[in-house]
Amino acid sequence: MRWIISIAILLALEVYAFQAFRTLFKFWWSLSAYVAITVVVVGLLIYSFYQPTTHGSLTGFRAYMIGIFLSLSALKLSVVVVMFGEDILRVFIFIYNKLFTSSAENFPSRRKFISTLALGLGAIPFLSLLYGMYKGKYNFKVLSYELEFDNLPEEFDGYTLTQISDIHSGSFDNEEEINYAVDLVNEQESDVVLFTGDLVNNLAEEMKPWIPVFSRLKAKDGVYSILGNHDYGDYYQFASEDKKQENFKDLVKVHSDLGWDLLRNERKEIKRGEHKLHVIGVENWGKGGFKKAGDFEKAAKGVDPKDFKILMSHDPSHWDEVIKNHEKDVQLTLSGHTHGMQFGIEIPGWFKWSPVQYRYEQWAGLYENAKRFINVNRGFGYLAYPGRVGIWPEVTVIKLKRRPVSEA
């Protein structure tokens, strides 16, 4: 029943959009081309879901058909919104003329100018989504922050970390671009590199071709990693539970093959002389149906609230629900997961918007609560829609500073 309703709504929108195009394009061949393009795109999209995919997810040909369908739908939806607004106005004009004037004019006809305007506005998201698939998904950006803390040991004043998240290696299709991005991470020359989950889409084997590339990530204090919701294989239909567990063991081994220190509800100490900071890593903890394998109490056992702590937790809802007011006083949390929905508008320092903000309070960038910070990385890779628009793939660099005593 749900599918029938969805199809009915899509058909209604399609018919409505067609009316706008008919206003602009009077020639039969142009309207035929419009119909043909729509039929071909929908047909190929349906066809793609009947084809096997390498990793059983929204990748490859299927992902690109999803992207093209979304681009075309964005164009049509924009047209529908504008035309619907004009139709409401036409209804009011018709009622007004009937009640208060002697005009014999029947229902006002659509204006070609409005149809042209609607099509022009619709071209913006249409072309943007196509660009996002062509270039946007590898448009890596380095975002740098400097954060001050009262209890940061002097020996760690100026300590730098680089965070990457959501690699989703099963989606990659350009080795040259990924090599460039790994070099970009190394160029930051941070003291430590921290990866906050979702190494793959579903299967450990997705990462194996990329081990030589990502094993080049280096930092003086090493590379630490955690698991994200996609790393457990929960979104793949395995032949048996044993196969699923075998895949998970393989994924854990991949972290080792990369030379990364995988933290599964545990912590490590980074020392400078007699002083230390704690890197705490928990398994995935998310609300709204996502896996809750994370155990912060276990990972932070024995840690003094006065000690400086960096928590790696894939899903930012963990910080919002548990960590930001926790008695352990976690000064800095690093998360990912949202991808910034891979779509949005950002004007640094002034404006930031994405549909994902209606699902997550903390969805991209830096947030603070009572001197406790969380950074939500926008993600290194991409999933489902094979592109990015406005929300670019991110390498985060954070410098830790000790707040002067006079300001503390």
Side-chain angles (χ1 to χ4, degrees):
M1 185 64 180
R2 183 175 58 185
W3 282 104
I4 294 174
I5 294 174
S6 299
I7 292 172
I9 292 173
L10 288 173
L11 285 174
L13 292 175
E14 187 63 52
V15 170
Y16 201 94
F18 178 76
Q19 302 306 313
F21 282 87
R22 191 172 63 176
T23 303
L24 282 173
F25 304 109
K26 303 294 186 180
F27 301 106
W28 68 267
W29 58 264
S30 58
L31 293 176
S32 298
Y34 167 85
V35 173
I37 290 171
T38 299
V39 171
V40 168
V41 169
V42 173
L44 288 175
L45 177 65
I46 295 171
Y47 172 77
S48 72
F49 276 88
Y50 284 93
Q51 300 306 301
T53 56
T54 306
H55 306 117
S57 62
L58 304 177
T59 58
F61 174 66
R62 184 181 300 176
Y64 277 98
M65 287 315 306
I66 290 173
I68 293 171
F69 176 77
L70 287 175
S71 302
L72 197 59
S73 296
L75 169 63
K76 294 178 180 181
L77 185 60
S78 299
V79 170
V80 165
V81 168
V82 175
M83 301 306 294
F84 184 67
E86 187 199 20
D87 281 348
I88 292 175
L89 181 61
R90 290 165 67 204
V91 168
F92 279 114
I93 292 174
F94 173 75
I95 294 173
Y96 179 83
N97 287 338
K98 289 296 183 182
L99 293 177
F100 302 107
T101 72
S102 58
S103 173
E105 182 182 2
N106 291 322
F107 201 75
S109 61
R110 276 201 173 98
R111 290 171 290 176
K112 187 175 181 179
F113 167 75
I114 298 297
S115 296
T116 305
L117 176 64
L119 189 59
L121 292 174
I124 296 174
F126 173 69
L127 295 175
S128 296
L129 286 166
L130 291 179
Y131 171 81
M133 291 190 288
Y134 175 60
K135 283 287 188 181
K137 61 186 176 183
Y138 295 129
N139 186 23
F140 292 95
K141 302 295 183 184
V142 177
L143 301 183
S144 300
Y145 305 98
E146 187 172 294
L147 303 179
E148 289 189 341
F149 300 93
D150 297 335
N151 62 339
L152 181 70
E154 289 185 15
E155 287 77 4
F156 287 94
D157 188 21
Y159 191 84
T160 59
L161 62 91
T162 291
Q163 179 198 3
I164 58 174
S165 191
D166 298 87
I167 287 175
H168 288 287
S169 55
S171 299
F172 293 152
D173 57 11
N174 190 317
E175 185 175 353
E176 182 180 351
E177 294 286 4
I178 302 306
N179 271 297
Y180 162 78
V182 169
D183 289 339
L184 188 63
V185 174
N186 284 333
E187 285 171 11
Q188 308 312 309
E189 298 183 336
S190 291
D191 294 292
V192 68
V193 173
L194 304 175
F195 170 67
T196 47
D198 275 3
L199 190 63
V200 298
N201 296 336
N202 291 301
L203 305 178
E205 66 184 40
E206 298 170 30
M207 191 62 190
K208 292 182 179 178
W210 300 99
I211 288 177
V213 177
F214 283 91
S215 61
R216 294 194 293 106
L217 286 176
K218 302 296 179 185
K220 179 166 51 179
D221 290 323
V223 180
Y224 294 90
S225 58
I226 59 170
L227 301 171
N229 56 299
H230 279 267
D231 295 323
Y232 296 91
D234 290 342
Y235 311 124
Y236 185 84
Q237 190 170 355
F238 290 91
S240 66
E241 183 62 27
D242 287 342
K243 289 291 185 182
K244 182 178 180 181
Q245 292 305 314
E246 181 181 336
N247 175 74
F248 184 71
K249 289 178 182 178
D250 287 345
L251 183 98
V252 170
K253 184 178 182 299
V254 166
H255 284 258
S256 177
D257 293 340
L258 288 165
W260 299 0
D261 196 343
L262 177 63
L263 302 181
R264 299 180 60 190
N265 296 325
E266 54 192 319
R267 62 184 172 88
K268 298 288 183 177
E269 294 178 358
I270 297 177
K271 294 185 177 181
R272 292 288 187 272
E274 298 297 318
H275 296 272
K276 62 189 176 185
L277 62 78
H278 300 276
V279 176
I280 303 171
V282 297
E283 297 201 32
N284 193 75
W285 192 105
K287 67 177 183 179
F290 288 104
K291 183 182 286 290
K292 284 184 168 65
D295 189 340
F296 176 72
E297 302 300 334
K298 176 184 176 182
K301 186 177 181 180
V303 175
D304 192 305
K306 295 180 181 178
D307 290 345
F308 193 87
K309 297 165 286 295
I310 299 172
L311 172 65
M312 302 163 65
S313 181
H314 179 69
D315 192 318
S317 63
H318 188 207
W319 185 82
D320 198 43
E321 297 281 322
V322 177
I323 301 300
K324 70 180 182 182
N325 295 314
H326 198 282
E327 60 183 11
K328 285 285 187 179
D329 187 18
V330 178
Q331 294 88 351
L332 176 61
T333 299
L334 303 177
S335 297
H337 181 61
T338 71
H339 299 206
M341 206 173 172
Q342 298 168 208
F343 175 84
I345 302 170
E346 283 198 81
I347 303 175
W350 185 64
F351 182 77
K352 181 172 66 176
W353 175 87
S354 169
V356 78
Q357 72 187 56
Y358 305 114
R359 173 67 174 82
Y360 291 94
E361 286 289 326
Q362 298 79 32
W363 60 276
L366 201 64
Y367 302 83
E368 180 184 4
N369 178 69
K371 297 184 179 180
R372 301 177 184 186
F373 294 89
I374 181 174
N375 183 68
V376 184
N377 185 284
R378 292 160 179 81
F380 186 97
Y382 52 90
L383 182 68
Y385 166 61
R388 285 178 175 266
V389 177
I391 307 293
W392 311 118
E394 175 181 346
V395 175
T396 311
V397 179
I398 298 177
K399 178 182 285 190
L400 308 179
K401 297 291 291 182
R402 180 179 172 86
R403 184 176 286 113
V405 177
S406 59
E407 298 179 16

